[in-house]
Amino acid sequence: MLQVLTGEAKGRKLKVPKGRTVRPTTSRIKKTIFDTLGDISGFKVLDIFAGSGGLGIEALSQGAAHVTFIEKNPLVYRVLRENLHLCGFLDRANLICAHYEGALKRLKKSGKRFDLVFIDPPYILYRRKQVGDFISQLSELLEEDGTIVIEHNYRIENSIKGFKRITKPFGGTHLSLFRRGDE
């Protein structure tokens, strides 16, 4: 069962679409992410491959000012919208139902910048993209002292120029935080 761990909506149960269309971040990984990030009050957050919204909703519950969610599957998008409504966070959210690359282009064009970006892509994408590819795509949208949190299914050996990386393994999943400006 997926639920909000802390903050304003603590204990709120979140809906998850039936089937295998979504791989929600486990409570253990989510707790590690937010413990590592610390205070995110007032942050502008981007949640790519948002699924049912677990990470972005947790961020809102912990005081993020606003979260932009990107989810391309219309059925999953509806569940995400319901979860935001259940938690009372629709007024602090922007939902985009589109393929992530097109959505990122529109966000770049509009000049949007984020303090924190969550990216939890379907692992099948790692057949054609590396973690560094995602970081490069997002760097233009990231504030100067921003952080990118990415889940991936393989070990990262090298660092990415301009970022300090912290990686934590969780069985077959790895969690990496890339903080800009701390080379």
Side-chain angles (χ1 to χ4, degrees):
M1 167 189 23
L2 188 61
Q3 70 179 27
V4 181
L5 300 177
T6 59
E8 192 179 326
K10 180 180 179 175
R12 188 73 45 120
K13 290 172 182 30
L14 302 177
K15 295 180 179 185
V16 178
K18 290 184 179 6
R20 302 183 65 108
T21 56
V22 173
R23 176 184 40 82
T25 301
T26 66
S27 292
R28 181 174 163 227
I29 293 174
K30 193 166 28 168
K31 182 177 178 351
T32 298
I33 290 170
F34 286 95
D35 285 351
T36 304
L37 289 171
D39 184 15
I40 60 165
S41 298
F43 276 28
K44 295 173 303 238
V45 179
L46 176 61
D47 187 354
I48 305 170
F49 305 104
S52 53
L55 290 173
I57 289 171
E58 189 72 37
L60 288 167
S61 187
Q62 292 193 28
H66 189 271
V67 177
T68 297
F69 294 87
I70 299 172
E71 174 54 54
K72 78 172 186 175
N73 183 319
L75 298 173
V76 176
Y77 176 88
R78 276 199 291 269
V79 171
L80 167 60
R81 186 178 247 328
E82 282 180 49
N83 283 335
L84 284 161
H85 176 73
L86 286 169
C87 293
F89 293 143
L90 271 174
D91 62 328
R92 292 171 38 210
N94 177 31
L95 286 87
I96 301 171
C97 187
H99 188 277
Y100 83 97
E101 288 178 323
L104 293 179
K105 283 179 188 171
R106 286 193 299 278
L107 290 170
K108 286 176 189 175
K109 222 178 215 182
S110 71
K112 296 280 187 196
R113 307 269 296 181
F114 299 92
D115 303 295
L116 175 61
V117 177
F118 294 118
I119 183 163
D120 185 8
Y123 284 172
I124 196 165
L125 277 183
Y126 286 122
R127 290 183 184 165
R128 61 181 178 92
K129 286 191 176 274
Q130 299 292 313
V131 167
D133 298 329
F134 288 113
I135 303 301
S136 295
Q137 274 185 302
L138 295 167
S139 63
E140 207 176 303
L141 291 167
L142 196 63
E143 291 288 359
E144 286 306 312
D145 57 349
T147 301
I148 297 171
V149 177
I150 186 166
E151 280 189 47
H152 47 97
N153 63 345
Y154 62 92
R155 187 178 202 157
I156 300 174
E157 296 301 327
N158 14 348
S159 225
I160 294 172
K161 188 170 174 45
F163 289 89
K164 179 181 178 187
R165 173 178 55 93
I166 299 169
T167 298
K168 299 179 184 230
F170 293 88
T173 297
H174 289 77
L175 174 68
S176 291
L177 286 82
F178 290 88
R179 195 170 310 263
R180 176 174 257 166
D182 292 333
E183 253 184 299

